[in-house]
């Protein structure tokens, strides 16, 4: 019996949600039940999904996995990377002025019998350069539109974005309104550098993506690096989980965990080295600021490896048992 399709109206919501989780897992993304439900609802209701959370928790990776999970060959992933000063020409469309000018000059050099080029001729869809937003709503089939780090864009850009998210259309004054023939699945991500407008939030479904639990992060690393030793994966992930409780300027995300385990694996370690100097040499995969690297000396590193808490007083159960003995 074939698996139900996400667009199959006869399949139960539970079956469609289960299929979505399976497809995401095959694409290398392990989603928990709450996230899978929210993603499925966003697709079913044709609503944008706003993902908030710290950097490195897997927001962008979800959009990539969603695009890969569509059908046999996947769906196009159209990415708009937001930044301060982002404007309409960079996000939606821009006129191909060089091609327009060439068309006008060729018309002027042509014999009078061919007729002069008119304004409507050069301000047509053929002379329009598609930027991410217009490219996404112009796709003839399924498409995933990733609007990455929307909190870095200006509030004025949000106002323009509302038309796209509410009606899935873009108005070009010289042409008119261009509507989506196939509504894309929209993922917006935010790291919380500024507060987003209420109008934008109302148009989206919402999910806060937190750092994974110990068991889930181990499963993620094992899925991405099946060749790595199980003990190495478990030791490394436990260390990163303890490291995240430290007072760091930049907390390592899942991507940093994967980089670190890859580094340890390439150095042919089957578990965390006993020599702290060997561990310190690989911390560039996890700690990305001078301040964080400075406070992580041999003693503090050994405490974390052994499982001691960041206050340096309360120890783990094994250490307490040794003291009691």
């Amino acid at each position: 019996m074939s698996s139900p399709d996400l667009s199959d109206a006869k399949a139960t919501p539970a079956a469609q949600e289960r299929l979505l989780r399976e497809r995401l897992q095959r694409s290398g993304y392990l989603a928990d039940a709450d996230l899978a439900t929210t993603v499925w609802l966003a697709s079913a209701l044709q609503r944008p999904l706003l993902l908030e959370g710290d950097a490195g928790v897997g927001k962008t990776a979800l959009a990539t996995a969603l695009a890969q999970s569509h059908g046999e060959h996947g769906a196009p992933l159209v990415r708009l990377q937001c930044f301060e000063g982002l404007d309409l020409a960079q996000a939606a469309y821009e006129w191909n002025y060089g091609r327009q000018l060439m068309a006008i000059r060729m018309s002027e050099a042509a014999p009078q019998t061919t007729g002069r080029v008119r304004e409507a001729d050069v301000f047509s869809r053929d002379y329009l350069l598609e930027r991410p937003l217009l490219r996404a709503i112009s796709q003839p089939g399924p498409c995933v539109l990733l609007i990455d780090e929307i909190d870095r864009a200006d509030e004025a850009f949000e106002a323009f974005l509302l038309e796209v998210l509410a009606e899935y259309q873009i108005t070009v004054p010289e042409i008119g309104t261009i509507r989506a023939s196939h509504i894309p699945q929209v993922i917006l991500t935010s790291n919380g550098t500024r507060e987003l407008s209420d109008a934008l939030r109302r148009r989206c479904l919402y999910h806060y993506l937190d750092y994974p639990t110990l068991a889930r992060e181990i499963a993620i690393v094992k899925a991405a690096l099946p060749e790595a030793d199980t003990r190495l994966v478990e030791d490394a992930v436990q260390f990163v989980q303890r490291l995240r409780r430290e007072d760091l300027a930049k907390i390592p995300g899942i991507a940093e965990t994967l980089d670190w385990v890859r580094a340890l694996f390439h150095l042919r370690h089957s578990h965390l080295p006993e020599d702290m100097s060997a561990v310190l040499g690989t911390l560039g995969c996890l700690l990305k600021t001078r301040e964080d690297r400075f406070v992580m000396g041999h003693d503090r590193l050994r405490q974390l490896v052994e499982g001691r808490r960041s206050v340096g007083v309360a120890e783990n159960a094994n250490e307490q048992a040794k003291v009691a003995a």
Side-chain angles (χ1 to χ4, degrees), residues 30-319:
L30 301 182
D32 58 29
D34 290 344
L35 176 59
T37 299
T38 308
V39 172
W40 178 80
L41 285 173
S43 176
L45 301 176
Q46 295 184 331
R47 296 283 297 280
L49 172 59
L50 172 60
L51 293 175
E52 282 193 318
D54 292 337
V57 295
K59 302 185 297 295
T60 303
L62 174 61
T64 303
L66 272 175
Q68 295 173 350
S69 68
H70 272 278
E72 182 179 355
H73 303 291
L77 172 64
V78 180
R79 177 173 180 171
L80 172 61
Q81 180 63 52
C82 298
F83 52 88
E84 186 177 354
L86 179 65
D87 59 20
L88 183 66
Q90 296 162 314
Y93 68 89
E94 185 177 8
W95 288 109
N96 191 336
Y97 296 115
R99 190 179 173 197
Q100 287 174 322
L101 182 60
M102 182 180 295
I104 294 172
R105 288 181 175 176
M106 289 178 64
S107 172
E108 291 174 347
Q112 295 294 330
T113 55
T114 61
R116 293 301 181 110
V117 66
R118 296 172 301 172
E119 180 179 348
D121 295 330
V122 294
F123 283 99
S124 64
R125 188 68 183 269
D126 292 337
Y127 293 88
L128 205 60
L129 294 175
E130 294 182 350
R131 300 312 183 198
L133 295 180
L134 181 57
R135 189 182 311 132
I137 69 169
S138 300
Q139 294 293 323
C143 167
V144 176
L145 170 61
L146 170 62
I147 303 176
D148 211 9
E149 298 183 325
I150 181 61
D151 52 319
R152 294 186 180 275
D154 302 323
E155 293 183 15
F157 176 73
E158 277 190 40
F160 165 76
L161 193 60
L162 295 179
E163 178 191 13
V164 180
L165 298 182
E167 305 295 337
Y168 294 101
Q169 65 182 31
I170 293 176
T171 300
V172 180
E174 296 85 352
I175 296 177
T177 300
I178 302 174
R179 295 179 174 83
S181 56
H182 194 287
I183 294 178
Q185 188 164 9
V186 183
I187 304 292
L188 298 95
T189 72
S190 170
N191 296 334
T193 58
R194 71 169 177 86
E195 183 58 37
L196 302 178
S197 67
D198 292 339
L200 179 64
R201 290 184 179 274
R202 283 197 304 268
R203 284 164 172 77
C204 303
L205 300 190
Y206 177 82
H207 186 85
Y208 184 85
L209 203 56
D210 207 346
Y211 292 102
T213 62
L214 175 63
R216 182 165 171 259
E217 189 163 14
I218 289 175
I220 291 171
V221 177
K222 283 184 176 179
L225 301 169
E227 66 276 14
D229 190 277
T230 299
R231 181 183 172 187
L232 173 63
V233 173
E234 293 177 351
D235 288 351
V237 172
Q238 290 179 45
F239 175 84
V240 174
Q241 293 262 331
R242 298 185 194 113
L243 186 63
R244 289 187 183 127
R245 295 194 289 268
E246 297 293 299
D247 185 18
L248 300 176
K250 185 183 185 306
I251 299 175
I254 302 173
E256 283 76 21
T257 304
L258 290 170
D259 285 344
W260 191 45
V261 176
R262 286 192 185 98
L264 294 170
F265 175 74
H266 282 296
L267 291 171
R268 300 187 178 181
H269 293 298
S270 60
H271 54 82
L272 282 186
E274 297 293 334
D275 183 6
M276 292 300 101
S277 296
V279 179
L280 281 171
T282 63
L283 287 188
C285 299
L286 294 175
L287 304 177
K288 302 300 179 69
T289 69
R290 181 183 180 185
E291 292 79 8
D292 291 344
R293 183 63 185 82
F294 179 77
V295 299
M296 196 55 58
H298 281 74
D299 293 339
R300 186 73 208 108
L301 182 61
R302 184 170 293 281
Q303 289 176 339
L304 287 175
V305 170
E306 293 175 354
R308 299 177 183 180
R309 296 180 56 185
S310 59
V311 293
V313 177
E315 300 177 337
N316 62 15
N318 292 335
E319 293 294 326

